[in-house]
Amino acid sequence: MQLTRHGTQAPHGTQAPHRAQLPHGAQAPHGTGAPRGARRALAALAACATLAAHPAASQPSREVLDGAAPAIVRVIASGCGGTARGGTGFAWESAGQIVTALHVVAGCDTLRVNFQGIGERPARVARLFRPADLALLAVDQPPTLTPLLASTRIPVGETVMVFGYGLDTSTREERPLYVTTASTSTPLLSDAVNAEARTQLLSLGAPALETEILRVDGNLLPGHSGAPVLDAAGRVVGIGSGGLQRGTVGVGWAIRARYLAELARAPALADGRAPGLGTAPNSPGYATLVLGAGALRARCGQLDFIRSRTGLSLATLVASSDDQRGFQSIAMTAGRPWDVLAAMQFDIWTEQRSGAGVAVPAGGTLTPQAHGCTARWANGLVDLFVSGADVPAANDPTWPMAVELTTSAFGNAWAQEFLPFLQIDPGFSYGPPRSGPGGLLINRMTFIGQRPGQVPHAAFQTLLAKGNATIGVAAITRHYPYPMTPPPDEATYRAWVAAALAAYLSTVPP
């Protein structure tokens, strides 16, 4: 992607500023301009409660999900070439027969299946069907339960549920997915991936590019490998498999349930162990939905985050930005060539319920504080502040007020040390918030300020609201270089640029 001045716009549609710093301010702010403008922007975020969302009438009911739950298990694999893996599986046709994704168990010495509320059972690989990335596990002395049934129907245009152990949680959870029309018009895996991911998949050897998939929008997360995707009747229509690492929340797909018949006809394995898959080239295109053991976790405000992916380049993250023109405008003001910015590395911290992806400059760790989490660079000159809060469901009449209160609390938490010398910069701030797929609300604001006799400071804030969660991400610099003043040093300035771009790219899946 080329970042040029020609044809770009600032996020709110204003003309792109001709500055080399990030963010831009027409003049040094003064006085107490922050609270009123910030409150208006925060209130506007909560005011947009009525949004277009994917249809939900066909999704599984609570009764259906409760009936399916006992058959859904956590798969724990160890001795996998020096690593451990976590995924999901489900009982199919009998209680002792567990389906999961092949890449969860391939090359692993020891397998365990955890039946929630009952306990673990040892397992072995009984059969595998490599083209569809499926494995069938045999479990000794399984508990009494009703296995799931499968359907070959393609629920295009419907809201289905992936039910499993996303982000390696200890309890199973369901998450909505929307089956896109691409599942019938371009149903093959080869149609859903780019050239980079095709190379990786060919090297791994599973799943095959000719495999039929369900293309979905929504919260397919690490840990959902092998998880059942359920239709309104509670039947398995897909099995969680993989995705593209196109951004902070990725893009996922599920293997069509019709391949379960192929799995049942596959030859039995004599030694109970699935051989390892091939070695994928070092490329960020494709991501399995397996979560390795030992992932970092942090509770930020009222929500839990886990470091789910590491070392993604800015160029990879930009591919799924919800506001490409706004990103180009803010990135070009950094005063650094695009190849320098594109090479910046980021880790992704995923919020466990909403699936929101928060970008953090590589190596930064979210450390819990009183009101959220902070990652810090340059001896405290640059911070990234992250926090989340529970809110009622979006269809609850109290939702707009809850969003306003929680996002206001987020702004107050990081801004206290800078008040009253803080002011919104309209050049890099939305006016009203914007709506995204599936009921997402998003607002971005830039603040600048300067205490008398001290160096200027600045912050870039992204506010997200969807469903039962609000999330805020704020990049803060305590030494902001105005156009005529150089940055304190290049490393500090790059840390600030990276933090601001990370805040801009954080989002929630559709």
Side-chain angles (χ1 to χ4, degrees):
M1 182 179 66
Q2 297 296 317
L3 292 180
T4 62
R5 293 186 185 279
H6 176 68
T8 58
Q9 290 185 331
H12 186 43
T14 57
Q15 185 175 355
H18 298 281
R19 302 277 181 158
Q21 279 70 34
L22 180 69
H24 152 67
Q27 59 183 13
H30 59 278
T32 57
R36 260 188 8 197
R39 284 198 201 102
R40 281 198 303 269
L42 292 167
L45 179 65
C48 296
T50 304
L51 295 167
H54 291 313
S58 61
Q59 70 185 38
S61 67
R62 183 74 263 162
E63 182 181 10
V64 166
L65 294 171
D66 288 345
I72 297 167
V73 302
R74 184 181 178 196
V75 177
I76 304 155
S78 57
C80 313
T83 64
R85 302 178 193 146
T88 301
F90 60 94
W92 175 66
E93 293 195 335
S94 74
Q97 190 166 273
I98 303 297
V99 173
T100 190
L102 173 60
H103 66 258
V104 174
V105 299
C108 300
D109 296 326
T110 303
L111 304 179
R112 293 172 292 148
V113 168
N114 183 274
F115 294 87
Q116 188 169 314
I118 297 174
E120 292 183 0
R121 302 286 193 273
R124 64 188 184 280
V125 181
R127 303 174 191 273
L128 61 85
F129 186 60
R130 192 182 184 108
D133 187 30
L134 293 175
L136 190 66
L137 311 184
V139 179
D140 295 330
Q141 299 180 328
T144 300
L145 55 82
T146 302
L148 300 182
L149 300 175
S151 171
T152 58
R153 187 177 70 91
I154 306 175
V156 171
E158 297 180 20
T159 298
V160 294
M161 292 285 182
V162 59
F163 205 168
Y165 293 83
L167 297 177
D168 204 28
T169 54
S170 58
T171 57
R172 59 192 166 229
E173 293 180 324
E174 72 276 3
R175 297 171 185 272
L177 303 171
Y178 178 75
V179 181
T180 70
T181 55
S183 297
T184 52
S185 59
T186 53
L188 302 184
L189 178 57
S190 59
D191 300 320
V193 299
N194 55 26
E196 190 176 44
R198 287 191 197 100
T199 300
Q200 286 183 277
L201 288 164
L202 287 171
S203 298
L204 287 169
L209 291 172
E210 296 76 24
T211 301
E212 293 181 19
I213 60 170
L214 294 180
R215 296 175 69 167
V216 294
D217 287 341
N219 298 329
L220 270 179
L221 302 172
H224 281 150
S225 281
V229 177
L230 305 177
D231 66 7
R235 294 177 182 264
V236 179
V237 293
I239 301 96
S241 180
L244 294 181
Q245 295 194 133
R246 290 187 59 243
T248 58
V249 295
V251 176
W253 60 77
I255 300 296
R256 288 275 310 280
R258 77 172 189 82
Y259 290 105
L260 291 173
E262 299 282 353
L263 177 64
R265 291 193 293 264
L269 297 182
D271 60 359
R273 186 179 187 275
L277 299 177
T279 302
N282 183 22
S283 168
Y286 168 68
T288 64
L289 301 177
V290 170
L291 189 69
L296 296 179
R297 302 169 189 269
R299 187 165 183 82
C300 304
Q302 297 175 340
L303 303 181
D304 295 308
F305 293 77
I306 184 168
R307 192 174 68 179
S308 55
R309 290 183 283 161
T310 58
L312 274 68
S313 70
L314 181 68
T316 298
L317 296 184
V318 168
S320 63
S321 171
D322 60 277
D323 183 1
Q324 294 282 338
R325 290 194 304 173
F327 174 82
Q328 291 181 19
S329 289
I330 199 169
M332 75 180 184
T333 63
R336 301 297 183 271
W338 171 240
D339 58 350
V340 171
L341 299 180
M344 288 181 171
Q345 299 286 306
F346 296 83
D347 300 336
I348 305 304
W349 291 69
T350 302
E351 196 278 307
Q352 293 188 183
R353 288 189 320 174
S354 67
V358 172
V360 177
T365 299
L366 293 179
T367 303
Q369 308 288 344
H371 303 289
C373 294
T374 301
R376 179 159 289 182
W377 297 269
N379 296 318
L381 291 180
V382 176
D383 281 355
L384 190 71
F385 181 68
V386 178
S387 190
D390 291 307
V391 293
N395 59 359
D396 189 300
T398 65
W399 188 78
M401 180 59 69
V403 171
E404 180 176 354
L405 291 175
T406 55
T407 52
S408 294
F410 172 81
N412 290 336
W414 68 259
Q416 285 302 314
E417 71 172 282
F418 305 107
L419 295 175
F421 303 97
L422 199 64
Q423 171 177 316
I424 285 183
D425 174 7
F428 279 112
S429 298
Y430 291 173
R434 298 184 177 184
S435 60
L440 172 66
L441 283 177
I442 187 166
N443 206 348
R444 297 185 171 103
M445 291 171 280
T446 300
F447 303 86
I448 49 179
Q450 183 175 7
R451 292 185 180 277
Q454 296 188 21
V455 296
H457 46 260
F460 185 89
Q461 175 181 264
T462 291
L463 299 172
L464 307 164
K466 183 178 179 181
N468 293 97
T470 59
I471 294 169
V473 186
I476 303 159
T477 176
R478 295 173 177 84
H479 194 142
Y480 165 59
Y482 276 112
M484 300 308 294
T485 60
D489 59 75
E490 181 64 16
T492 299
Y493 183 63
R494 286 198 185 189
W496 156 238
V497 171
L501 296 177
Y504 196 96
L505 291 170
S506 299
T507 192
V508 179

